[in-house]
Amino acid sequence: MMDPSDPPRPAATPEPEPVTAAPPPPPAAPPEKRPLLKRLFGISLWGALKLLGLCILTGFFVMAANFDPGNPDFNLAEALRAILRQSFAALGWAITNFWQPALAGALVVLPVWVIWRVVSLPWRK
């Protein structure tokens, strides 16, 4: 029995049910690899514009130096001086003849770019 001096006890509340954790989601399947040509040559529009700009810039220097590696009288120091002398003239000329330096630069840049893409292919997803 209850002693009158004991304070009244609150009504018993049912014990809360233990919360069971949801089972973990199944592991996600690894993403599919992109096709080889997509991994090798797939670039964004911005990447293509940067590549075109690099081709044009390289073409300015190639054409300003009258670069001919087959010439036996080729002199690197003289070629660099020619680049400095003709840079401003080449810039004005290139504004009117945009496609020629782009093509000349592409002849240098694109093979290097393709080789870089092939070499770095194993590290791209």
Side-chain angles (χ1 to χ4, degrees):
M1 296 228 113
M2 290 183 76
D3 185 9
S5 62
D6 287 338
R9 289 193 289 178
T13 57
E15 289 286 322
E17 293 183 23
V19 177
T20 57
E32 287 186 31
K33 274 192 165 183
R34 295 183 301 160
L36 177 66
L37 288 177
K38 184 102 173 164
R39 286 188 294 145
L40 188 60
F41 297 111
I43 60 173
S44 66
L45 178 62
W46 179 243
L49 290 175
K50 289 193 297 188
L51 189 61
L52 177 65
L54 184 61
C55 289
I56 292 168
L57 184 65
T58 304
F60 286 147
F61 291 109
V62 169
M63 294 182 80
N66 293 325
F67 182 69
D68 181 14
N71 187 354
D73 296 328
F74 179 71
N75 182 354
L76 183 62
E78 183 59 35
L80 293 175
R81 274 190 232 104
I83 289 172
L84 292 176
R85 280 194 312 265
Q86 297 176 6
S87 292
F88 290 110
L91 181 62
W93 173 85
I95 291 172
T96 58
N97 300 301
F98 175 78
W99 66 273
Q100 290 174 337
L103 182 61
L107 290 175
V108 174
V109 172
L110 290 180
V112 172
W113 179 76
V114 167
I115 290 169
W116 175 253
R117 297 291 288 196
V118 168
V119 168
S120 66
L121 183 63
W123 293 278
R124 282 197 311 271
K125 292 182 180 179

